[in-house]
Amino acid sequence: QVQLVESGGGLVQAGGSLRLSCAASGSIFSINVMGWYRQAPGKQRELVAHITSGGSTNYADSLKGRFTISSDNAKTAVYLQMNSLKPEDTAVYYCNAAIRAYSDYGIHDYWGQGTQVTVSS
């Protein structure tokens, strides 16, 4: 069984910073991509950023320069450094990973439980 566990959300004032973490665990054969999505109230879930096993990154255009995604050496954890936060960054942030488990022949999307980020003005 594969799990993604997030941490690091919370309440911060506008202009502040937060760092989100997500660790993958379980019977994992390989991880192709790990990333972060967010969903604000009344809005669709949107991509924030992702990073491939090779280290390539991709960001939502509106977040470039403020958010930085990184992973650990084992490529089983992903981090999101969020700087210069704005009230419009308020959302539930979800970790996502494309994983092949030992018990599976295919690659499937896995999601974390979500962590709330609230930016006050």
Side-chain angles (χ1 to χ4, degrees), residues 31-95:
I31 301 178
N32 287 16
V33 182
M34 295 189 80
W36 293 94
Y37 287 72
R38 69 183 184 183
Q39 187 167 19
K43 294 189 177 182
Q44 288 189 333
R45 191 173 296 188
E46 62 177 359
L47 172 71
V48 174
H50 70 238
I51 183 167
T52 70
S53 58
S56 297
T57 58
N58 183 52
Y59 295 89
D61 286 342
S62 62
L63 301 177
K64 288 179 182 177
R66 294 196 298 124
F67 288 16
T68 303
I69 192 169
S70 61
S71 61
D72 67 342
N73 288 336
K75 310 298 183 188
T76 58
V78 64
Y79 310 98
L80 185 69
Q81 178 67 42
M82 305 184 292
N83 298 327
S84 303
L85 283 162
K86 305 175 181 179
E88 51 264 42
D89 294 319
T90 295
V92 178
Y93 284 70
Y94 295 93
C95 179

Side-chain angles (χ1 to χ4, degrees), residues 16-39:
S17 298
L18 280 175
R19 186 174 189 249
L20 305 183
S21 299
C22 171
S25 63
S27 185
I28 296 171
F29 179 79
S30 63
I31 301 178
N32 287 16
V33 182
M34 295 189 80
W36 293 94
Y37 287 72
R38 69 183 184 183
Q39 187 167 19

Side-chain angles (χ1 to χ4, degrees), residues 97-116:
I99 294 174
R100 181 183 170 186
Y102 277 106
S103 60
D104 205 339
Y105 291 106
I107 298 172
H108 298 284
D109 263 353
Y110 290 84
W111 293 90
Q113 79 282 3
T115 185
Q116 177 70 45

